[in-house]
Amino acid sequence: MNILEKITQNKASFSKSERKVADVILANPQTAIHSSIATLAKMSDVSEPTVNRFCRRLDTKGFPDFKLHLAQSLANGTPYVNRHVDENDGPEDYTNKIFESTMASLEVARQSVDVQVVNRVVDLLTQAQKISFFGLGASASVAHDALNKFFRFNVPVVYFEDILMQRMSCMNCSTGDVVVLISHTGRTKSLVEIAQIARMNDATVVGITSADSPLSHECTYVLSLEVPEDTDMYMPMASRIAQLTLIDVLATGFTLRRGNKFRENLKRVKDTLRGSRYEKRNE
Amino acid sequence: MNILEKITQNKASFSKSERKVADVILANPQTAIHSSIATLAKMSDVSEPTVNRFCRRLDTKGFPDFKLHLAQSLANGTPYVNRHVDENDGPEDYTNKIFESTMASLEVARQSVDVQVVNRVVDLLTQAQKISFFGLGASASVAHDALNKFFRFNVPVVYFEDILMQRMSCMNCSTGDVVVLISHTGRTKSLVEIAQIARMNDATVVGITSADSPLSHECTYVLSLEVPEDTDMYMPMASRIAQLTLIDVLATGFTLRRGNKFRENLKRVKDTLRGSRYEKRNE
DNA sequence: AGAAAAATGTAATTTTTTGACATTTTTTAT
DNA sequence: ATAAAAAATGTCAAAAAATTACATTTTTCT
């Protein structure tokens, strides 16, 4: 496992001094791999053997071995880690941290996706009479994005931001209709109600939400994404990105299922936009 | 560059003893990174300083530094790459490919972001009288998302999907207003026009778009993202995700600039939502 | 062949890491 | 609240590792 993640995870189990070391390393891992144990000890305001003990606690043979592991974690291609933004971060720091955390979350999300369910949902979508995408707050823009994607497929697709419109739309559902509900927490009351209404009217309800949430219990199929959210920011960030990527997956599955002639159709849709754009000079 | 490749490439220019070292390392790099210079010298049947000189010839600071580079080369398990979806891909294949491509694109985007500009734009946003986010098509949902984020900051923020509303809104701009325009290609005519209108009315225009596009030339600041888009799908996918992440970066920069009391405010906004949600049992 | 240059090795030096043990801090039980 | 035990941390010395300076060997070129 990635040693940076391991440090973050085990941070709680560290002693006070070890945590000082952990903080210094996490704050600037690049510097850490190029420092000697003495330098790192001084930076952490800790004695050298403490740094050594810290390394051993992470199941490495010693400091040099630890640096090797750290270097591997930092090498590109290795999964990214959720590093939290710090008050004193400059633009470079927080930019990189946000990008890296997003990538790390996507990796976690990827591993938590149940491809069986993806497959069944794609099946469902390709056979749907009508597809609705609903979300509220931060998930509204995800639903909005799904509309944009599925609209190109020439399928009857519906999206509303307004709760009442969402409810009315679900009241008019019937067999063969698919309602996709998007919510990170799965605890938004009105969305849970909408799930109930849709099911009462024989629609199939797909939830893109967290497992074992009130919303998930009302859904026919649940596509759950276990994405760690940085709660310090009080804003949903990574969860939306994961949801969007899942929408991309569904859209891709949809086009694959429909086959080649359908791809042609997509190309035509795209070409239609040409009139609204400035031509690219050399293509 | 990958140091293993470098060894292979420069092998010709090595001396006899250095080549012995190279061979031993190439034959078993995993062993090499866990050996001391003495062990490696013995394995190569060469003296210790020779190994050291070998390391320096590869532009490393010395043996330990060389091991670090080697470790990084070896870490490259599977760098995320943009693997294109194939007609015969099953659900597991395309799910993984989409997630991986998205991560790969984010990495590319991260490297292409100009943090200087990020910093200036954050400055601008924190001082803005009014912030507008406009995008069309796939980028509309990105603007939508930006609205959701910045709305929490208690800043006057505007978002319209309708071109005419966007134009009217820009007509009413004045000094101190910031208009953020989002477009992957930067070739959408009406967005370019909106940029012109906004600037004529003394607003500062920030473009989240590709460098050197018609739109970028009309912007005061350009946050360019070089994201490779899988054109086979005829749908924007990775570009949106990169744009969203950039919005996250801006939002994060914004909150950091505003300081701690402001974070408290965000928490209050979030807490307000509580009434609309089912409580979590154990927290 | 023989001088000059390059390569390599030897041995000492320096740097770095680790281990043993003392001291301090924290926890636990009374 | 206090003493004993346990855990954590630091000091200092020993060991290991890496590097330097310099001697020796090998190669190259005239």
Side-chain angles (χ1 to χ4, degrees):
Chain A
M1 196 225 288
N2 183 315
I3 198 136
L4 274 172
E5 276 181 66
K6 202 168 179 178
I7 296 174
T8 318
Q9 257 177 32
N10 296 27
K11 208 166 158 186
S13 76
F14 290 157
S15 72
K16 211 190 325 167
S17 304
E18 283 169 344
R19 212 163 307 145
K20 283 198 233 171
V21 181
D23 286 335
V24 171
I25 291 170
L26 289 177
N28 210 335
Q30 279 296 345
T31 310
I33 59 170
H34 293 112
S35 310
S36 72
I37 197 166
T39 316
L40 198 60
K42 197 165 283 172
M43 284 200 286
S44 317
D45 191 30
V46 146
S47 76
E48 296 173 27
T50 301
V51 176
N52 200 289
R53 285 186 280 255
F54 167 83
C55 298
R56 299 237 168 102
R57 194 169 298 272
L58 290 155
D59 303 317
T60 62
K61 259 207 82 192
F63 185 69
D65 189 40
F66 169 79
K67 283 209 286 192
L68 248 42
H69 281 266
L70 195 58
Q72 298 205 326
S73 298
L74 260 41
N76 53 31
T78 27
Y80 295 96
V81 204
N82 213 321
R83 293 196 293 145
H84 291 224
V85 174
D86 182 83
E87 265 184 74
N88 310 311
D89 281 346
E92 179 147 16
D93 299 317
Y94 65 72
T95 302
N96 284 324
K97 281 184 182 176
I98 297 279
F99 270 92
E100 281 169 25
S101 308
T102 306
M103 289 186 271
S105 304
L106 278 177
E107 177 58 34
V108 174
R110 178 173 77 107
Q111 280 164 9
S112 78
V113 169
D114 185 337
V115 288
Q116 305 288 328
V117 181
V118 167
N119 198 25
R120 249 174 285 150
V121 170
V122 168
D123 255 340
L124 217 76
L125 291 174
T126 46
Q127 284 152 33
Q129 296 282 314
K130 186 180 80 182
I131 307 176
S132 312
F133 291 101
F134 300 139
L136 293 168
S139 302
S141 60
V142 178
H144 188 169
D145 186 80
L147 167 78
N148 186 278
K149 282 232 155 43
F150 281 81
F151 183 77
R152 293 166 190 243
F153 300 162
N154 196 24
V155 194
V157 54
V158 170
Y159 154 77
F160 295 112
E161 250 191 289
D162 186 298
I163 304 185
L164 294 179
M165 295 294 278
Q166 293 176 354
R167 290 178 83 106
M168 288 192 282
S169 179
C170 287
M171 289 300 278
N172 292 327
C173 276
S174 56
T175 318
D177 290 357
V178 179
V179 177
V180 182
L181 299 177
I182 305 162
S183 163
H184 174 48
T185 58
R187 316 194 154 276
T188 312
K189 287 176 185 170
S190 38
L191 219 55
V192 176
E193 287 167 23
I194 282 165
Q196 289 162 342
I197 295 169
R199 289 228 304 185
M200 274 193 290
N201 290 281
D202 304 315
T204 312
V205 177
V206 176
I208 297 185
T209 187
S210 86
D212 207 32
S213 61
L215 176 57
S216 72
H217 297 132
E218 301 296 333
C219 295
T220 324
Y221 293 106
V222 179
L223 280 164
S224 70
L225 289 169
E226 300 309 324
V227 178
E229 196 64 84
D230 182 352
T231 46
D232 294 355
M233 296 308 294
Y234 307 114
M235 281 187 291
M237 315 242 276
S239 53
R240 292 157 3 197
I241 307 272
Q243 289 163 358
L244 279 171
T245 310
L246 192 54
I247 296 286
D248 287 353
V249 169
L250 294 178
T252 305
F254 192 100
T255 58
L256 289 178
R257 191 66 56 88
R258 284 295 178 88
N260 253 340
K261 34 196 181 316
F262 183 66
R263 296 277 279 287
E264 273 308 302
N265 199 52
L266 281 179
K267 188 166 164 19
R268 272 207 306 286
V269 173
K270 194 187 173 193
D271 291 345
T272 313
L273 295 174
R274 193 162 291 171
S276 69
R277 295 209 174 127
Y278 292 109
E279 289 295 325
K280 207 164 180 178
R281 285 163 306 273
N282 41 4
E283 235 186 21
Chain B
M1 197 223 287
N2 185 315
I3 198 134
L4 273 172
E5 286 176 50
K6 201 168 179 178
I7 296 174
T8 320
Q9 257 177 33
N10 297 28
K11 208 166 159 185
S13 75
F14 290 156
S15 72
K16 212 194 319 172
S17 304
E18 282 170 345
R19 212 163 306 145
K20 282 198 236 170
V21 181
D23 286 336
V24 170
I25 291 171
L26 289 175
N28 210 335
Q30 277 296 345
T31 311
I33 59 170
H34 292 114
S35 309
S36 72
I37 196 167
T39 317
L40 197 61
K42 197 165 282 172
M43 283 199 289
S44 316
D45 191 29
V46 147
S47 76
E48 297 175 28
T50 301
V51 177
N52 198 290
R53 284 187 281 257
F54 167 83
C55 297
R56 299 233 168 107
R57 195 170 297 273
L58 290 155
D59 303 317
T60 64
K61 256 209 84 189
F63 185 68
D65 189 41
F66 169 78
K67 282 209 289 190
L68 247 42
H69 281 267
L70 195 58
Q72 298 206 328
S73 300
L74 261 42
N76 275 350
T78 17
Y80 296 117
V81 266
N82 217 322
R83 293 194 293 144
H84 290 222
V85 174
D86 182 81
E87 266 186 73
N88 310 311
D89 281 345
E92 180 147 16
D93 300 317
Y94 65 73
T95 302
N96 283 325
K97 280 184 183 176
I98 296 279
F99 270 92
E100 280 168 27
S101 308
T102 307
M103 288 186 273
S105 304
L106 277 178
E107 177 58 32
V108 174
R110 178 173 78 105
Q111 281 163 8
S112 78
V113 170
D114 185 337
V115 288
Q116 305 287 329
V117 181
V118 168
N119 197 24
R120 250 175 285 151
V121 170
V122 168
D123 254 339
L124 217 76
L125 290 174
T126 46
Q127 283 152 32
Q129 296 281 313
K130 188 181 79 182
I131 307 176
S132 312
F133 291 101
F134 300 139
L136 293 169
S139 302
S141 61
V142 177
H144 188 169
D145 186 80
L147 168 78
N148 187 279
K149 282 230 153 42
F150 280 81
F151 184 76
R152 292 166 190 244
F153 299 163
N154 196 25
V155 193
V157 54
V158 169
Y159 154 76
F160 294 112
E161 251 190 287
D162 186 297
I163 303 185
L164 293 180
M165 295 294 276
Q166 294 177 354
R167 290 178 84 106
M168 289 192 281
S169 180
C170 287
M171 289 299 278
N172 293 324
C173 275
S174 56
T175 318
D177 289 358
V178 179
V179 177
V180 181
L181 299 178
I182 305 161
S183 163
H184 174 47
T185 57
R187 316 194 154 277
T188 313
K189 285 176 189 169
S190 38
L191 261 193
V192 176
E193 286 165 24
I194 281 165
Q196 289 161 343
I197 296 170
R199 288 228 304 182
M200 273 193 289
N201 290 281
D202 304 317
T204 313
V205 177
V206 176
I208 298 185
T209 186
S210 86
D212 206 34
S213 60
L215 177 57
S216 72
H217 296 133
E218 301 295 333
C219 294
T220 324
Y221 293 106
V222 179
L223 281 164
S224 68
L225 289 168
E226 301 309 322
V227 178
E229 196 63 85
D230 182 353
T231 45
D232 294 356
M233 296 308 293
Y234 308 114
M235 281 187 292
M237 314 242 278
S239 54
R240 291 159 6 202
I241 307 271
Q243 289 163 0
L244 278 170
T245 309
L246 192 53
I247 295 286
D248 287 353
V249 169
L250 294 178
T252 305
F254 192 100
T255 58
L256 288 179
R257 190 65 57 88
R258 283 295 180 88
N260 252 339
K261 33 195 181 314
F262 184 67
R263 297 275 281 286
E264 273 308 301
N265 198 54
L266 282 178
K267 188 167 162 21
R268 272 208 305 287
V269 172
K270 195 188 173 193
D271 291 346
T272 312
L273 296 173
R274 192 163 289 169
S276 68
R277 294 206 175 130
Y278 293 108
E279 289 295 325
K280 208 163 180 180
R281 286 162 305 273
N282 39 5
E283 240 186 14

